[in-house]
Amino acid sequence: MTPQTRKQLNELHIGLIKISQAWAMKKPYDKDRATELRHEAALINHAHYVENIPAYRRLSEEADLLHVADVDLIKKELMSTDDIFKSYDQTWLDDHDYEKMNAWIGSIFHDRININTAGVRTIDQWVDRLTESGITPVYSSGTTGRFSFIPRCEMSWKLFTTAPVSYSAPVWADLGVIPLYQKVLMGPLLKLLHPDTFSMLLKKRGLPGFAGVFMNFRKGNMGIQLVGQELSHLFRKTCFLYDTDLSASAIRIISRGIKNDADLKILESFQKETIEKKDENYMKLIDFMKRATLAGEKVFLFGAPYQLKELSQVMIRENVQIPLKKKSCVFFGGGWKSFEGEKIERHELVEMVSDRLNVPDELIVEGYSMTEVNGLMVRCHHGRFHIPPVIEPVILDEALEPQEGCDLKGPFGFIDPFAVSYPGFIISGDNVRMRDEICPCGMHGPALTEVGRAQGREIKGCGGIMASVQA
Amino acid sequence: MLKFCRESGLLSEANQVIRVPHLVKGALVFPPELDKKEIEAAFKEKEDDCTYVKTRSAQILREPVIDRQHMTFTGEYIYQVLPLVNPMELIEADIDNLTETLYALSFSEVLSYLDMLLKAITENASLVDYIRDVSLQTAEHPDPYHLGAFEAFPFLLSPENAEASVDNDLSAWGRKGRDFLDGWVEIDAGVFPGISSLIGQGLFKNEFPSGIPFQKASIRAMPTRQLHITAGNAPAIPLISMLRAILTKSAAVIKSPYGATLPGALIALAAYVAAPDHPITRNLSIVYWPGGDASIEDPFFFPNAFDRIVVWGAPQAVDAVRKKAKFTRTVCFNPRYGFSFIGKEAFEENRLREAAILASIDSMIWNQKACIASQVHYVEGTIDQAEDYAKILQDVLAEWDQAAPNFIKPEARGNLKRMKRGKYMSASWYRNRQNGDVTSSVVVMNEPFDMLDHPMCRLVVVRPVSHLNDTLPFIHHAVSSIGIYPEKRRLELRDGIAARGVSNVLPLGQVERIFGGMPHDGMMVLTDLVDWKNG
């Protein structure tokens, strides 16, 4: 990317973050301007992807769309599914062939990847080598154990970690988590400061008076773990459920089965930390929250829904209730995924948590995002996940054609202007209902009112497949 | 039959509405008369893709009309109005009555019944043609398949087919199957009396000085009460299921699937008109309800409601029935799929097009929707050779597209795009198009393919392998059929493949072949549908 294009893109990003900050403060915002900025950035990204990302170039060539001046064409022809981030051959991981993994990830990245793979035997080692070379591969694991890797360059990584912080701060202020004087200051600060400076200040100042409790691993590049790790920088005192690194290899082995002694060893150590010591770890969090409360500190609790359920169950079993200090809050997200069998209704979960920690409903907040997107959607009290103006949602129909309208249902896609190093025109695996209107909560713009996994195709007859099988 | 339908307003389309009767234990149950406005009002608040509504007096099905020239939805619908279903009416509890009437029939009476049914169908060709044409408007299968299914009725109902099925499937002890259906068959078995019997004879030898007299062994194939939950991927499936019930002289409830209710109603009407008082008709029900409706299905899973539950189809349907039917023996036709193997000889002997044509025939079985249809072609050769094969196969599929224009549902179109723009974007794609829309595709990939991603809509996955034996890790019970080319290779591989769970290992291009008395999904199905008794 030329320095001039980079500068141009940077200005567009800043513009979008500024608009998103106004949006987050529930002010009417200039929707047309936001669209204009997003489209301008998307077209720059398109040209950049065509030039530098082989997989995207091939898609554009096949669609005869190397040069595009209309974002609608991108939406119609050039959106990739999130499967692009797992379009590698699984046997390469099985065979420890990380040269091939290099070549593959280079095909969806804006630079070719030639890191040294000598001695690399595990995904974790490969991820470490990539990180050392300035590429941050954020990964997520599906229930089948087929990992998605999203390669972020330095610029993309910075946007990934900075942008959501700068526009979600007003949301927290609105909930009363941030003290009144800071809330009053926030408006002018947002207006005056560069988003990077604002985010830096926020991180530096943090959330005084709060202790952060994260039901995460302290290290590891998995999507939701990273969100927790990034958030943890806002707190002076933190406690993690697992004080270790999350092993990608272990997660893959769990899903795909033990193949050799090395797998067994990895799994044994993972098992020890997550299964054998699970109760001990939860008790450690409970203890930490007790101490923070005694010290007059508020608690910020973060995790996935199944973990909140587990924590509540441990507290019920141990007959523990901790009336957290007023304005303490709980933030959860990530869905139930492979813990679908454990799923309970949202209101039941909120009741459980509220009962054990004395946190009111309105301070038990749910977020929605995905590893591939550089944005965070927070659920308001009217059950809507509000989409920040940094993201352009695209709701598709069954045939994956983009739809137009203010009340749409279908697969959720998005144009992400902040995705610089990988194709950011993505169709997710989620089916949503999106309404574009002023929400009773006061937020403007589009919001998701329903979110669920896209249904598998309907098979009407005896021809079909019961489960995921290789052929 | 046509006159009856016209007079009673059944099976006649008027203003895009058709009233479809149920057959409940031989009685024709009429749906109410609803006008189109009422019907449209019932669907008004529903989602666009809603296909079913239940009102106080009726069930209404909504099927989208397909423009047969362009094979796309027109935006219009055909509505079918059906009666409500009372599940308790369908369960047969009078075993004595069954024993004295239906179960007491001789097999020759079954053959006569089929003859009557066949006569009713052939003598009412105009009604059959009418139903065929009305249902064509919404048929997802290409025209030649839909029309062919109606043409096949006489073959399926033929007494010759029935005799071959029963006599071979139920054959045992060197006797024809019909003998066991007709009654008790004395067999020349070497009977072991049992340990307690031997001890008892020793103990009570004073009372039985010449031993306890043993009768000769007799066995019988006793009919059963059957529930058939059928699938709609091939219009013949409900008919095949019903025939199996008739051939085993069994009391049966046949659940018609969405998309094939009209052929079911046609047969129901034929049975009602041809032999209303026949014990087979009196114990036959052909009805529709939406699969999985617990308010209807739960009573069917009560202990002793049925003796057999036969379920075809969709993974969810099979799974749901398995979970619920704890007390009833269930015969499942699981979702399965087929493969084709093309040996290296096809390249050596320059017979690639021949192999591609034969393999395409196996892929096109019920337009790739059948459980035996081939979804993946394994080619013994290099990646370049696989690409060569794929190009030829693409041309062959284009010829199929011309002869049998394909209908691809929007959802399947979406799945094709998902594959092409996601997980399989680095594979080689060969796509045929008409008016800009994909009509068939071939995709060549080196790495294993996840079958769950297959949209089964005229897409063939081609995988190169260095030796056909390399496919063995991918072969298991989920694979129903494999067509192999050339014959020499098939004979070499047949046992190993069959041992891994595949039901049909056949010459390439011949996977769809059927004959009376053939095994199905590893079972002799009639044998599973009757209760084998010692008496």
Side-chain angles (χ1 to χ4, degrees), chain B residues 8-12 14 17-22 28-36 38-39 53-61 79-85:
Chain B
S8 54
L10 292 176
L11 297 177
S12 313
V17 177
I18 309 174
R19 292 173 67 229
V20 182
H22 281 166
L28 213 55
V29 181
F30 288 59
E33 286 184 37
L34 299 179
D35 69 30
K36 201 175 171 191
E38 284 176 86
I39 292 169
V53 162
K54 187 157 129 182
T55 69
R56 280 185 185 177
S57 61
Q59 305 182 88
I60 311 169
L61 286 177
Y79 296 95
Q80 291 182 22
V81 182
L82 301 111
L84 296 174
V85 173

Side-chain angles (χ1 to χ4, degrees), chain B residues 263-286:
Chain B
L266 178 66
I267 299 291
L269 191 64
Y272 175 77
V273 169
D277 296 321
H278 196 286
I280 294 177
T281 308
R282 305 283 294 177
N283 289 285
L284 181 65
S285 301
I286 302 176

Side-chain angles (χ1 to χ4, degrees), chain A residues 62 76 79-81 83-84 87 89 398-399 401 409 428 457-459 461-462 464-465 468-471, chain B residues 47 233 313-314 335-336 371 378 410-411 415 417-418 420-423 425 447-452 454 463:
Chain A
E62 281 171 5
K76 197 171 161 51
M79 294 185 74
S80 325
T81 72
D83 283 341
I84 186 180
S87 58
D89 186 341
E398 276 186 312
E401 294 291 332
K409 275 185 172 181
S428 78
R457 65 197 165 277
E458 179 208 4
I459 302 160
C462 59
I465 295 109
S468 176
V469 279
Q470 301 287 296
Chain B
E47 298 286 336
N233 54 324
R336 300 175 91 194
C371 55
Y378 290 96
E411 186 190 14
N415 284 334
K417 282 185 196 166
R418 277 188 183 277
K420 174 77 181 67
R421 297 194 205 165
K423 213 191 286 185
M425 70 183 312
E447 65 268 25
F449 166 76
D450 189 341
M451 284 302 298
L452 204 56
H454 206 303
R463 295 250 294 111

Side-chain angles (χ1 to χ4, degrees), chain A residues 222-236:
Chain A
M222 195 182 241
I224 190 150
Q225 308 297 324
L226 274 170
V227 177
Q229 287 160 31
E230 281 303 309
L231 281 172
S232 73
H233 298 144
L234 296 172
F235 302 91
R236 288 187 195 134

Side-chain angles (χ1 to χ4, degrees), chain A residues 359-417:
Chain A
V359 177
D361 289 8
E362 63 272 17
L363 287 176
I364 301 175
V365 180
E366 188 177 356
Y368 170 69
S369 189
M370 48 196 78
T371 331
E372 301 84 6
V373 71
N374 297 289
L376 174 67
M377 289 155 249
V378 177
R379 186 183 187 273
C380 73
H381 258 78
H382 296 273
R384 299 183 182 200
F385 292 98
H386 289 278
I387 304 171
V390 290
I391 301 295
E392 175 140 338
V394 183
I395 309 302
L396 302 121
D397 65 12
E398 276 186 312
L400 294 194
E401 294 291 332
Q403 304 182 74
E404 295 284 338
C406 290
D407 186 359
L408 301 170
K409 275 185 172 181
F412 179 55
F414 50 86
I415 301 285
D416 181 357

Side-chain angles (χ1 to χ4, degrees), chain B residues 284-306:
Chain B
L284 181 65
S285 301
I286 302 176
V287 293
Y288 173 82
W289 70 85
D293 183 340
S295 67
I296 293 170
E297 290 182 355
D298 280 2
F300 297 154
F301 302 125
F302 290 160
N304 208 28
F306 285 94

